Amino acid sequence: MATILIENLTKVYPPTPTYPQQVQALGGVSMSVTGNVFVAVLGPSGSGKTTLLNIVAGVEEPTAGAVRVVQDGVPAQVGYVFQEPRLLPWRSVLDNMLYVQNRKSDRSKREAEFYLSMVGLSDVAHLYPAQLSAGMQQRVGIARAFLVNPDVLLMDEPFSHMDALTGRSLRDYLQRIWAHTRKTALFVTHDVGEAVELADRILMLRPGGVVFDDIPVNLPRPRRPDDAAVHAVETEVLRRFDSMEAAVRFGDQRN
Amino acid sequence: MSYATDLPTTSEFGQVPGTPQGSPAEAVHWTRKPWFVNALAVAILLVVWQYLHSVNGRVPSIDEVVSFLGVELGGGSHGGVSRGEFWGPLSISLQRYAIGLAIGIPVGGLLGLLIGGSRRFRSVLNDTVLVLLVLPSVVWAFAASLWFGIGSTAPVVAVVLTAVPFMAVNLSSGIRGLDPGLALMSDAFRVPRLRRATHLLVGGALSNAVTGVRLAFMTSWNSLLIVEWFGTASGVGWRAKHWYDAQRFEGFVAWILLFVVFITLLDWLVLRRLEHRSTRWQQQPTLTFAEGEIA
Ligand SMILES: Nc1ncnc2c1ncn2[C@@H]1O[C@H](COP(=O)(O)OP(=O)(O)OP(=O)(O)O)[C@@H](O)[C@H]1O
Ligand SMILES: [Mg+2]
């Protein structure tokens, strides 16, 4: 069983020549996620969502605090879907998949093809990324993350760069795949509807990288964006954002 | 795999848009084919040449040059004791060229890797390489023949010194242009070092490296000729100068022509094709996939 344990995580970017002020991306985030849960991290642009995922993935160092990502006591295998597709432009779709595959065997190619078919891309395995639409490239990124058989799945707004219709059908895909694999998932988004549709739990971030709320979503799956129950939770999430903003504004006025 | 069968299959998504279905590129009219355009350019050149000959007698005519070449090739007499020479000068030049490139391209490639990959090396080497790049090859010609005298060392050194900066500059800018997001992606998936070196670094910088190779081939052929002209007693450049000094302008023009034809053919038949192959991934499917794009 996979566990993500985050304790008082802080990330401050030092000033740069182009932006001569330090930036606090994360201001003491703590959370613990265990087992087959789908957690959404919801926050506006610049609230430190990508920074959080990068630190959890081990590709960025925190300024302070600790992160543990383990599976049965050993470091967990992480699958990461980035905000951009991040494919090697000079390799075919299939070779991009094999690039992250760690066990090389006859099976690895068949596995890669299987995950490509899962996102509806069997027919373009031999094409270069530049020959795919943005949405198709992002689907390769999703297939790639599943290919490494991850214990923990990190997703950074994977649908934000595509049109609403494609995003809708891919969310559908993701729900179904996740229902079968039930990987521990940390899903970053700024889209309230998306968070409610996909997640068991929503962590709400505000600018400065502070978790100000943590809402469980106990709705049966599969969920549709137009379900009344989904809609009700959305309204509640938005209400809490509004009152957080009001509180911050009120706080400013008192200073 | 353990996934249940109710997952949607590819066919539910229908035909993926943008998949080439083997539809051939629209036929190009023959007047726009590369071979026709090239032939036309050559024809225009020949007409201009013959015109220049008719207005200025010192410009040798086409048939003078061709028959001169025939004598050089056949080893016949140019009059007096002077006899035709062709394969001798050509093979000497090609040897120098090959040795110089065999040294210059790997050395330049290594420098490019260091400059592109390490900030420290960049600050030390970048300006040096840029100086090499902007110095005209005639400087190498004089410097190298000053240092090494008449012989094959000077032209080889000139080829090396010309090839190195072209390789280094192109390769290092290719490496520096790599998207840092791809390195981050490789980190996140724990891609092993070796695979990262071959797929990310080499894959990403290959097209720049090939461009560097192409430029190194073209410019160092120039340097070679200049060094041979001013500083040696053998090779293609020396032979051209020999006829120039002898006021046999048809001989001079013949060798210059050979010099141009050689590098042009090399570029068309080898270098450009290599470059095209290595940049194939940058192209959109409908634009320039047609092989007719290259000569
Ligand atoms: N490498 C960096 N150097 C300096 N500042 C950075 C860097 N990366 C992020 N930041 C800053 O940290 C803050 C949080 O950035 P982050 O990318 O984590 O936000 P985000 O929530 O993912 O935003 P978005 O929804 O727009 O993707 C921003 O103010 C950003 O400017
Ligand atoms: Mg982000």
Side-chain angles (χ1 to χ4, degrees):
Chain A
M1 190 186 279
T3 300
I4 306 173
L5 200 66
I6 298 173
E7 275 168 28
N8 201 20
L9 200 64
T10 306
K11 178 73 185 184
V12 178
Y13 288 105
T16 61
T18 45
Y19 191 72
Q21 266 172 40
Q22 64 176 31
V23 176
Q24 176 181 299
L26 294 173
V29 172
S30 296
M31 68 166 98
S32 141
V33 178
T34 298
N36 311 322
V37 283
F38 195 116
V39 177
V41 177
L42 180 67
S45 184
S47 56
K49 306 184 297 294
T50 299
T51 306
L52 178 66
L53 283 196
N54 281 345
I55 294 175
V56 171
V59 295
E60 214 170 295
E61 288 297 315
T63 309
V67 173
R68 270 162 53 80
V69 186
V70 290
Q71 163 85 11
D72 300 327
V74 297
Q77 171 72 48
V78 167
Y80 199 156
V81 183
F82 303 92
Q83 206 163 353
E84 310 87 34
R86 298 222 168 124
L87 305 173
L88 305 178
W90 45 85
R91 290 283 183 267
S92 70
V93 166
L94 184 62
D95 285 345
N96 262 285
M97 297 285 285
L98 296 177
Y99 178 65
V100 301
Q101 173 79 296
N102 279 326
R103 299 156 287 117
K104 289 282 176 206
S105 66
D106 312 341
R107 277 188 49 210
S108 54
K109 190 169 165 235
R110 262 182 292 132
E111 274 177 30
E113 281 164 349
F114 170 79
Y115 285 106
L116 283 176
S117 76
M118 234 169 50
V119 292
L121 291 179
S122 295
D123 299 330
V124 300
H126 61 286
L127 294 188
Y128 290 110
Q131 294 172 288
L132 307 185
S133 72
M136 291 160 88
Q137 291 179 27
Q138 196 62 343
R139 275 143 73 187
V140 178
I142 294 169
R144 178 176 63 186
F146 275 99
L147 177 64
V148 298
N149 191 27
D151 308 311
V152 170
L153 199 55
L154 306 175
M155 286 171 281
D156 192 355
E157 310 193 35
F159 310 134
S160 65
H161 288 314
M162 48 188 89
D163 62 278
L165 292 176
T166 311
R168 203 170 117 120
S169 67
L170 278 181
R171 274 200 299 278
D172 228 49
Y173 256 132
L174 185 64
Q175 278 201 61
R176 295 202 213 186
I177 298 166
W178 189 79
H180 288 284
T181 60
R182 301 191 68 85
K183 307 286 184 192
T184 307
L186 207 54
F187 183 98
V188 149
T189 181
H190 60 244
D191 184 316
V192 179
E194 193 169 273
V196 177
E197 190 185 332
L198 294 172
D200 298 310
R201 183 179 158 195
I202 301 176
L203 290 165
M204 306 208 303
L205 273 184
R206 64 170 166 80
V210 177
V211 177
F212 71 91
D213 215 332
D214 186 348
I215 304 177
V217 185
N218 299 313
L219 297 176
R221 295 170 191 275
R223 303 169 188 161
R224 303 290 311 165
D226 37 15
D227 288 347
V230 168
H231 203 71
V233 178
E234 270 183 60
T235 312
E236 173 61 17
V237 169
L238 285 171
R239 194 191 61 73
R240 296 197 191 189
F241 255 105
D242 287 345
S243 55
M244 176 275 294
E245 284 199 322
V248 169
R249 239 177 280 130
F250 183 57
D252 284 350
Q253 278 167 359
R254 283 201 307 188
N255 285 338
Chain B
M1 282 296 154
S2 58
Y3 298 104
T5 45
D6 62 78
L7 279 176
T9 59
T10 312
S11 56
E12 273 179 52
F13 253 66
Q15 176 57 48
V16 178
T19 315
Q21 289 295 299
S23 63
E26 231 171 80
V28 183
H29 193 257
W30 63 271
T31 52
R32 288 174 174 239
K33 295 255 178 171
W35 64 262
F36 178 78
V37 176
N38 290 336
L40 192 67
V42 171
I44 291 172
L45 201 74
L46 292 178
V47 168
V48 170
W49 180 356
Q50 203 57 19
Y51 170 76
L52 286 178
H53 169 69
S54 69
V55 295
N56 181 349
R58 296 192 61 159
V59 176
S61 70
I62 294 173
D63 48 299
E64 277 172 327
V65 168
V66 169
S67 61
F68 188 95
L69 262 181
V71 176
E72 286 282 71
L73 264 164
S77 169
H78 283 299
V81 293
S82 160
R83 302 202 67 84
E85 275 184 45
F86 182 76
W87 299 111
L90 188 64
S91 69
I92 285 177
S93 288
L94 288 181
Q95 270 176 42
R96 293 166 175 165
Y97 189 49
I99 294 170
L101 288 174
I103 299 170
I105 286 177
V107 169
L110 190 68
L111 276 179
L113 279 176
L114 292 175
I115 295 172
S118 137
R119 201 178 290 267
R120 177 138 19 115
F121 275 107
R122 189 176 313 152
S123 57
V124 175
L125 292 174
N126 209 16
D127 293 338
T128 319
V129 168
L130 282 180
V131 168
L132 284 184
L133 193 66
V134 297
L135 274 181
S137 41
V138 68
V139 172
W140 299 130
F142 288 125
S145 33
L146 204 73
W147 298 329
F148 303 106
I150 290 181
S152 277
T153 314
V156 168
V157 167
V159 170
V160 171
L161 287 177
T162 314
V164 162
F166 277 97
M167 260 326 273
V169 166
N170 274 284
L171 192 57
S172 66
S173 77
I175 289 172
R176 257 190 283 173
L178 287 178
D179 173 8
L182 293 177
L184 194 138
M185 180 272 289
S186 309
D187 284 344
F189 283 102
R190 312 276 186 273
V191 176
R193 262 171 196 280
L194 184 65
R195 198 186 311 159
R196 195 191 289 223
T198 54
H199 289 251
L200 183 62
L201 209 64
V202 175
L206 184 68
S207 61
N208 295 76
V210 171
T211 302
V213 166
R214 186 178 167 205
L215 289 171
F217 264 82
M218 313 239 317
T219 51
S220 55
W221 182 241
N222 264 316
S223 308
L224 177 68
L225 270 284
I226 291 169
V227 177
E228 287 182 341
W229 180 287
F230 287 107
T232 64
S234 56
V236 171
W238 163 79
R239 195 68 179 162
K241 177 186 185 241
H242 171 80
W243 293 121
Y244 180 85
D245 288 347
Q247 305 241 346
R248 293 287 295 267
F249 294 122
E250 68 276 26
F252 166 70
V253 171
W255 279 99
I256 296 304
L257 200 66
L258 281 173
F259 161 70
V260 172
V261 166
F262 169 79
I263 196 66
T264 309
L265 284 182
L266 186 69
D267 191 46
W268 277 359
L269 298 180
V270 183
L271 301 175
R272 226 186 271 191
R273 278 164 200 270
L274 272 182
E275 193 175 33
H276 187 77
R277 266 177 166 266
S278 71
T279 55
R280 185 169 286 177
W281 54 270
Q282 294 170 341
Q283 330 226 329
Q284 297 296 317
T286 47
L287 292 178
T288 47
F289 254 132
E291 285 298 323
E293 267 297 300
I294 53 171

